[in-house]
Amino acid sequence: MAILVTGGSGYIGSVTIERLLAKGERVVVLDDLAHGHRAALPADIPFYQGKIGDRELVSHIAREHALDSCIHFAALIEVGESVIDPAKYFENNVAQGIALMGELVQAGVRRIVFSSTAATYGDPQQIPITEQCPKLPKNPYGWSKLFMERILDAYDAAYGLKFVALRYFNAAGATENRGEDHRPESHLIPNVLSAALGKQPAIRVFGTNYPTPDGTPIRDYIHVMDLADAHILALEYLRSGGTSDFLNLGTGRGYSVMEVIDCAREVTGRDIALQIEAPRAGDPARLIADPSKARALLGWQPVTSDLRSIVRSAWVWRLQNPNGY
C-alpha cells in the first residue's frame, strides 16, 4: 500500500517524504509545482504534476497505486496574499480540497493526515493555546484551513473518513538535504539568514513596542524534522484504529524576533542589520502552543526544536544551497 502525499515537493512535504522513505514506506506524490521544487524529491519517486482538484488525475492515481492513506499538505499559505485575493485561497485550499477528499473517499481511502495551522485560532484568548481555544481566524488563509477541518469532520461522520488535523505553529530548520525555499519568502528565519548571506541589506522588524520583554513578537518555533515525525506518528495512530482529532504542533516555548536574530548572529558569526518598521496589522504579541495533547495521543516529543539547533540546521543548508533548489 502507498501513501499519497499532496504538496510533497514543498518544504514540509519533502522532509516528511524523506522521513517516510527512511521507514520503508511507499510514497506517491501529487504536486502542481506552483511553489514546490521537483529537485527536493528523489528522482525515482512516483510523481504526478497537477492540481489536487483534478478529479480525473486523482482517480487515475488511485487506480495506479493501492492507496492506504493521504498526507495532505498542498495549499497556498501566504496570509497577506489571502487578504488581497481571498477567492484564490478558497478555490485552491477549499474547493480543490473538497474535490480531492471526494475522490479519495470514492477510492476507498479512509485515513487522512491534514496540514492545518495555528492561524485557525486568530487572536488567542489564552497562552499557551490549547485545542479547545475558540477558532476565529483573522484572514482568509486561516478560514480556508478551518473550513477544511470542518469538512473533514463531516466526512468522518458521513463516510468514515478518519483524520488527524495538525495545527502547526512556526516550522523552521532543515535536514542535511532539504530546507526552506519559498519564493517570495515571508518567514523570519530564512530571511534573517538571507540577510546574513548579504542577499538582502537588512532584516525587517515589524514593531518593537509589543508587551514582551524586548518589545518584539514571540512565536513558537518547531524544527521541520520534528514536524515531519508528527505526521508519521499521526498516520500510525490512524492505522492502529485511532479516532479523528485535532492537535497542536509546537514546543510550548516561545522566542522573540530579536532572540531569533541574536541567535542567527551567534550561529553565523555575521552582523545582521535591522530595518525597524511599523507593526503589521493583526500580529499578536505571543503565539505559543500547548502541545500536551499531541504528546499524550501520539507519544510525540520534539527533540531538535531548540532555537540554536533550528537556526544552525537552516544555516548549514543555506550555505550549501545559497540560491535554494
Side-chain angles (χ1 to χ4, degrees), residues 53-77:
D54 185 338
R55 288 180 176 270
E56 185 176 342
L57 177 57
V58 175
S59 178
H60 170 76
I61 294 170
R63 290 194 303 269
E64 289 288 308
H65 305 272
L67 298 180
D68 160 72
S69 51
C70 175
I71 303 179
H72 178 31
F73 291 106
L76 298 173
I77 63 170

Side-chain angles (χ1 to χ4, degrees), residues 103-122:
E103 288 302 319
L104 292 177
V105 168
Q106 287 291 327
V109 176
R110 293 295 184 272
R111 286 183 284 269
I112 304 287
V113 178
F114 176 56
S115 167
S116 191
T117 174
T120 57
Y121 295 110

Side-chain angles (χ1 to χ4, degrees), residues 57 60 103 116 121 123 131 134 154 157 184-185 192 199 204 209 217 248 288 290 299 311:
L57 177 57
H60 170 76
E103 288 302 319
S116 191
Y121 295 110
D123 284 332
E131 290 81 359
E185 183 59 72
V192 170
K199 290 186 171 292
R204 299 164 73 192
N209 292 312
N248 289 338
I288 301 173
D290 178 349
V311 173

Side-chain angles (χ1 to χ4, degrees), residues 144-258:
S144 74
K145 290 292 191 175
L146 186 59
F147 289 159
M148 284 306 301
E149 287 190 4
R150 300 276 61 83
I151 289 162
L152 286 168
D153 208 24
Y155 278 35
D156 179 10
Y159 312 123
L161 180 64
K162 300 302 177 187
F163 69 90
V164 176
L166 299 173
R167 295 173 182 151
Y168 308 170
F169 279 66
N170 288 59
T175 67
E176 182 178 349
N177 298 311
R178 290 170 179 86
E180 193 166 6
D181 183 14
H182 298 116
R183 302 176 191 181
E185 183 59 72
S186 62
H187 294 161
L188 175 63
I189 289 176
N191 276 322
V192 170
L193 298 181
S194 179
L197 279 173
K199 290 186 171 292
Q200 58 189 66
I203 182 67
R204 299 164 73 192
V205 176
F206 296 98
T208 57
N209 292 312
Y210 286 88
T212 61
D214 64 22
T216 61
I218 291 173
R219 297 293 182 263
D220 190 336
Y221 293 91
I222 177 171
H223 197 291
V224 66
M225 285 196 299
D226 288 331
L227 196 58
D229 288 345
H231 289 77
I232 297 171
L233 288 171
L235 181 56
E236 292 172 352
Y237 162 79
L238 291 174
R239 283 173 169 172
S240 67
T243 57
S244 297
D245 220 325
F246 307 88
L247 302 175
N248 289 338
L249 293 183
T251 65
R253 158 101 193 248
Y255 298 96
S256 73
V257 170
M258 285 308 305

